């Protein structure tokens, strides 16, 4: 009976996360980044790659999506921890390091030398849900300076405030 109740609760938690719509303001690291279809064909993810790269043939990718969380107590940090758990199943040699651990704004980084990939992931509270921003590098240099730059880039993503009258550029509709 206990297992059945736990299974039922976990199903409700999974169903409690659904997709939202918000607007992000983000300045791309270089010119030429363009939107491509998500590699997993998800229509809810906004994916961007640098000039001359595609969704099938990329070395760097930025992914943005948002989840509405209907279950109380599920925070941005909880969703990031869940994603890191999935990543750990796919890349067994990773050891995620939290750069920022805050309930409403968390960031982690991990690298897999076995698969030659590094990722910076950030989850933060949007107006309508939790925004997940991910930077993937398939040809990492394992340099502290390069990864610090990517952390700063993802850290600059913010929810666009429509009440301000400024001429914002690089708006991403989730």
């Amino acid at each position: 009976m206990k297992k059945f109740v736990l299974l039922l609760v976990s199903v409700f938690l999974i169903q409690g996360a659904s997709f939202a719509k918000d607007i992000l303001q983000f300045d791309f690291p270089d010119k030429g980044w363009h939107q491509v279809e998500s590699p997993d064909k998800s229509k809810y993810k906004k994916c961007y790659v640098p000039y001359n790269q595609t969704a099938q043939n990329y070395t760097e990718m930025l992914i943005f999506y948002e989840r509405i969380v209907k279950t109380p107590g599920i925070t941005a940090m909880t969703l990031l921890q869940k994603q890191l758990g999935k990543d750990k199943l796919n890349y067994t040699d990773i050891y995620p390091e939290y750069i920022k651990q805050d309930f409403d704004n968390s960031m982690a980084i991990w690298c897999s030398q076995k698969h030659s990939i590094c990722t910076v992931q950030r989850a933060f509270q949007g107006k309508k849900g939790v925004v997940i921003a991910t930077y993937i590098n398939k040809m990492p240099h394992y340099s502290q300076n390069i990864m610090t730059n990517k952390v700063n880039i993802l850290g600059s993503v913010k929810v666009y405030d429509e009440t301000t009258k400024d001429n914002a550029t690089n708006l991403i509709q989730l």
Side-chain angles (χ1 to χ4, degrees):
M1 183 66 177
K2 213 181 226 187
K3 289 181 182 179
F4 177 72
V5 171
L6 288 175
L7 177 67
L8 192 60
V9 168
S10 65
V11 167
F12 284 122
L13 287 176
I14 291 169
Q15 288 178 342
S18 60
F19 295 96
K21 299 278 187 198
D22 241 332
I23 299 173
L24 299 180
Q25 187 173 357
F26 176 66
D27 292 324
F28 287 92
D30 301 305
K31 292 184 185 242
W33 284 75
H34 60 280
Q35 188 172 355
V36 295
E37 184 179 19
S38 172
D40 63 0
K41 309 294 186 223
S42 171
K43 64 181 181 177
Y44 300 105
K45 293 181 181 178
K46 303 294 183 183
C47 301
Y48 297 87
V49 296
Y51 180 73
N52 285 338
Q53 295 183 27
T54 67
Q56 294 76 32
N57 183 20
Y58 68 92
T59 56
E60 292 180 283
M61 182 178 277
L62 284 162
I63 303 169
F64 303 97
Y65 65 98
E66 185 171 26
R67 305 290 289 225
I68 290 180
V69 180
K70 297 177 184 176
T71 308
I74 303 295
T75 64
M77 188 165 67
T78 305
L79 289 178
L80 181 60
Q81 288 172 339
K82 182 179 175 182
Q83 181 60 49
L84 292 172
K86 289 178 184 177
D87 294 341
K88 184 75 173 156
L89 291 173
N90 294 324
Y91 304 97
T92 56
D93 64 326
I94 68 169
Y95 298 98
E97 292 182 42
Y98 280 92
I99 296 165
K100 185 174 186 177
Q101 271 188 300
D102 185 273
F103 287 115
D104 294 328
N105 188 4
S106 293
M107 190 180 298
I109 185 172
W110 59 259
C111 290
S112 169
Q113 289 192 354
K114 182 178 172 183
H115 297 279
S116 189
I117 187 170
C118 283
T119 299
V120 180
Q121 295 171 321
R122 178 178 174 213
F124 62 96
Q125 188 62 49
K127 292 178 185 175
K128 299 181 180 181
V130 174
V131 177
I132 313 283
T134 304
Y135 169 78
I136 300 170
N137 188 333
K138 288 185 171 181
M139 293 181 60
H141 301 285
Y142 302 106
S143 165
Q144 185 65 29
N145 290 338
I146 291 172
M147 293 315 287
T148 300
N149 183 33
K150 302 310 179 191
V151 167
N152 290 336
I153 288 169
L154 270 192
S156 71
V157 178
K158 64 182 180 179
V159 177
Y160 177 64
D161 184 5
E162 295 126 359
T163 61
T164 61
K165 301 293 185 212
D166 61 348
N167 292 332
T169 58
N170 293 331
L171 297 179
I172 300 169
Q173 174 76 44
L174 295 178

